[in-house]
Amino acid sequence: MLSENYGPCSIWLGLTDNKTLIAFLFWVLAVYMNRKTDKPIYTIIAALVLFLVYSIPHSLFGSQLDYGSGEVTQGMILNFF
């Protein structure tokens, strides 16, 4: 993670790990709360959080570092509809 602080878009790179950690913690809570008695609300909440995490795009325009110029360039999402 230290190397991410010196790269382009360093703040955005850490978001993926944080999103995964949040989803994982909700699933750990759901398993813990369901170990003795069935409480489906925790499982439903963990599933919704995981769905929200997967709904957040990692990179909307697909940015990448151009090594020749040293600048970060962004692509485009083409709408085919």
Side-chain angles (χ1 to χ4, degrees), residues 1-22 58:
M1 296 263 208
L2 182 61
S3 64
E4 291 177 353
N5 292 331
Y6 297 105
C9 304
S10 60
I11 295 172
W12 184 250
L13 291 174
L15 280 176
T16 301
D17 295 333
N18 293 336
K19 293 185 300 186
T20 305
L21 177 64
I22 290 169
H58 177 69

Side-chain angles (χ1 to χ4, degrees), residues 44-69:
I44 293 169
I45 291 172
L48 289 174
V49 168
L50 186 63
F51 178 74
L52 289 174
V53 164
Y54 284 157
S55 297
I56 299 171
H58 177 69
S59 180
L60 185 60
F61 295 111
S63 62
Q64 64 182 10
L65 175 63
D66 182 6
Y67 291 104
S69 66

Side-chain angles (χ1 to χ4, degrees), residues 57 59-62 74-80:
S59 180
L60 185 60
F61 295 111
Q74 291 185 341
M76 288 180 28
I77 297 177
L78 300 175
N79 190 358
F80 293 108

Side-chain angles (χ1 to χ4, degrees), residues 27-60:
W27 277 108
V28 168
L29 177 67
V31 168
Y32 180 77
M33 295 305 288
N34 281 296
R35 66 191 157 107
K36 291 185 181 178
T37 60
D38 289 337
K39 297 176 185 154
I41 189 68
Y42 290 102
T43 305
I44 293 169
I45 291 172
L48 289 174
V49 168
L50 186 63
F51 178 74
L52 289 174
V53 164
Y54 284 157
S55 297
I56 299 171
H58 177 69
S59 180
L60 185 60

